Amino acid sequence: MASVAGSVESRDVCIVGVARTPLGSFLGSLSSLPATKLGSIAIECALKRAGVHPSLVQEVFFGNVLSANLGQAPARQAALGAGIPNSVICTAINKVCASGMKATMIAAQTIKFGINDVVVAGGMESMSNVPKYLTTGRTGSRLGHDTIIDGMLKDGLWDVYNDFGMGVCAELCADQHNITREEQDSYAIQSFERGRAAQSSGAFSWEIVPVEIPGGRGKSSTIIDKDDGLEKFDASRLRKLRPSFKEKGGSVTAGNASIISDGAAALVLVSGTFAVKHGLKVIAKIRGYADAAQAPELFTTAPAIAIPKAISDSGLKASNIDFYEINEAFSVVALANQRLLNIDPGRLNVHGGAVSLGHPLGCSGARILVTLLGVLRQKNGKFGVAGICNGGGGASAVVVELVDDEGAATVARSAL
């Protein structure tokens, strides 16, 4: 592979623009907007930050898990809403919580193999707007009571293989790895403290695109520019919450689990050749990626398999990695994978995670990539890994390399 500009090769997958919405709490600040609108907002901002006109985009891959009632082709809705032309191919990806990351991996592959030069990837979810299902509505209701199915639980938060909630898998993980309630609560409190510190320092401003919420009936609009989850936090109350999934001896609570939420995140990926030709500022390169899977009820520790595979794919070693993001589906997930991979706690989720910020299912895989890039920029890191587990026993992981000390070096056109 011929070098086109110093450390950037012609078929390198370069990240040149990123954006995420604030994460709204369940029925919170963003609940009036569908996932597709949130997706459009993130895509439009990422393209503007990248300096890439929408007409130059060749393909879009966007994660979305809870698609009921969104209408046809939600990824296409998000893309067209961001000004991307009708001629651009758009595909929605559903790999449960890893959807946004898997979308990014597929986008990267199309660039690496010379299929595309400009791709938008990411994910979106509005858990607040997921409908409830009347499953007998099609055939008619006869004698007796009808049952309404919660679409969010059914299609997003339920292990269909064992017929129990994801939280039961978290309890199983805690038991298998001897992780106590106290450890989980302490981790959750740390997540909130780190998230609040990052917010206060302005660390998230690089990531977040403010969202305007129309007021209606003559009322002024509201601008949302902060994550809802960080606003309400009481450490003493968190430690007193009852277990949510296991009455006797349970350790997983609403406080040490991730927040049900709404949001979207987008990344603009281009080839090294395209970055040079158009004089774009390259934030980072995608160095490697991998998936892994094991038994459905053990999805919680699948990142401990995917992350080493991704590091190997990147040609690096674990000793090269400066910072990690592992999605905090539950506090026990981060703790278990941290232990299995022997990660220094000071290098994991240093700006908080899903426990404090939120976990919009289809968005989170992309969101943690955006946050990881921000961490590398602000902490003078070079290599980072993001890993995320997904229902059904799987996980995905991506390795990134910051291109320069500021994370936005212009690749010289003269290198062509």
Side-chain angles (χ1 to χ4, degrees):
M1 185 181 291
S3 174
V4 295
S7 64
V8 176
E9 308 287 337
S10 60
R11 296 320 303 177
D12 276 350
V13 181
C14 302
I15 302 171
V16 293
V18 300
R20 72 168 177 93
T21 68
L23 302 186
S25 59
F26 184 53
L27 302 176
S29 65
L30 302 183
S31 61
S32 63
L33 303 179
T36 48
K37 177 62 175 176
L38 297 174
S40 293
I41 291 169
I43 292 171
E44 183 176 12
C45 181
L47 286 168
K48 285 182 178 178
R49 290 175 175 176
V52 174
H53 194 274
S55 64
L56 296 175
V57 176
Q58 295 169 299
E59 196 157 4
V60 176
F61 296 95
F62 228 65
N64 181 242
V65 179
L66 304 168
S67 300
N69 206 41
L70 280 178
Q72 288 184 340
R76 187 161 177 79
Q77 292 182 51
L80 298 188
I84 291 174
N86 290 332
S87 58
V88 175
I89 305 157
C90 305
T91 305
I93 304 297
N94 185 349
K95 193 176 184 280
V96 207
C97 305
S99 299
M101 185 171 290
K102 187 63 177 178
T104 306
M105 291 162 64
I106 295 171
Q109 288 172 333
T110 71
I111 291 174
K112 181 178 180 180
F113 298 132
I115 299 169
N116 290 317
D117 282 302
V118 186
V119 188
V120 170
M124 58 189 174
E125 207 74 72
S126 177
M127 299 178 80
S128 294
N129 285 300
V130 181
K132 296 192 176 185
Y133 311 146
L134 185 61
T135 57
T136 58
R138 183 74 64 186
T139 56
S141 178
R142 308 254 176 155
L143 180 66
H145 302 295
D146 291 325
T147 299
I148 295 178
I149 304 298
D150 188 323
M152 180 175 62
L153 290 177
K154 177 71 174 180
D155 295 331
L157 304 175
W158 202 259
D159 184 324
V160 299
Y161 310 95
N162 298 285
D163 195 26
F164 50 50
M166 296 286 96
V168 177
C169 301
E171 288 284 8
L172 179 63
C173 179
D175 290 343
Q176 289 183 335
H177 296 279
N178 298 311
I179 298 172
T180 66
R181 164 72 186 267
E182 182 179 1
E183 288 177 297
Q184 293 173 64
D185 285 350
S186 294
Y187 181 90
I189 291 167
Q190 173 186 271
S191 180
F192 276 98
E193 290 174 343
R194 288 179 171 182
R196 288 185 139 191
Q199 184 184 77
S200 297
S201 70
F204 290 145
S205 61
W206 181 80
E207 305 175 20
I208 290 176
V209 50
V211 175
E212 182 177 356
I213 306 297
R217 295 189 178 183
K219 296 181 180 180
S220 59
S221 298
T222 302
I223 303 299
I224 307 300
D225 59 3
K226 292 182 174 62
D227 300 308
D228 284 2
L230 296 174
E231 299 303 310
K232 298 178 181 180
F233 170 59
D234 185 331
S236 61
R237 183 172 176 272
L238 185 149
R239 292 190 183 277
K240 296 175 183 177
L241 293 172
R242 289 185 175 184
S244 300
F245 305 98
K246 184 179 176 183
E247 290 186 12
K248 294 183 178 180
S251 60
V252 179
T253 72
N256 60 41
S258 57
I259 300 172
I260 294 171
S261 55
D262 311 325
L267 302 93
V268 181
L269 311 182
V270 304
S271 66
T273 297
F274 186 92
V276 171
K277 181 178 180 180
H278 293 270
L280 301 180
K281 291 183 177 181
V282 177
I283 300 169
K285 298 187 296 183
I286 293 181
R287 285 287 302 257
Y289 36 78
D291 295 303
Q294 52 188 3
E297 65 273 17
L298 302 180
F299 80 92
T300 49
T301 53
I305 306 172
I307 287 173
K309 287 176 65 178
I311 293 173
S312 176
D313 181 64
S314 72
L316 300 172
K317 297 179 180 179
S319 58
N320 299 126
I321 305 303
D322 297 304
F323 292 99
Y324 291 82
E325 286 285 324
I326 297 178
N327 191 52
E328 297 170 356
F330 301 90
S331 292
V332 72
V333 169
L335 287 166
N337 286 283
Q338 174 187 305
R339 185 178 296 176
L340 289 168
L341 295 172
N342 194 29
I343 298 172
D344 176 354
R347 296 193 293 128
L348 173 65
N349 298 347
V350 298
H351 284 171
V355 167
S356 56
L357 304 177
H359 181 17
L361 303 184
C363 161
S364 289
R367 197 280 299 168
I368 65 173
L369 280 170
V370 173
T371 298
L372 175 62
L373 293 173
V375 169
L376 290 172
R377 291 176 76 247
Q378 293 159 41
K379 303 291 185 181
N380 296 315
K382 185 173 181 62
F383 297 109
V385 182
I388 184 167
C389 57
N390 63 259
S396 297
V398 171
V399 180
V400 295
E401 176 187 354
L402 208 66
V403 167
D404 74 342
D405 57 351
E406 295 182 358
T410 301
V411 181
R413 295 177 64 88
S414 60
L416 274 173

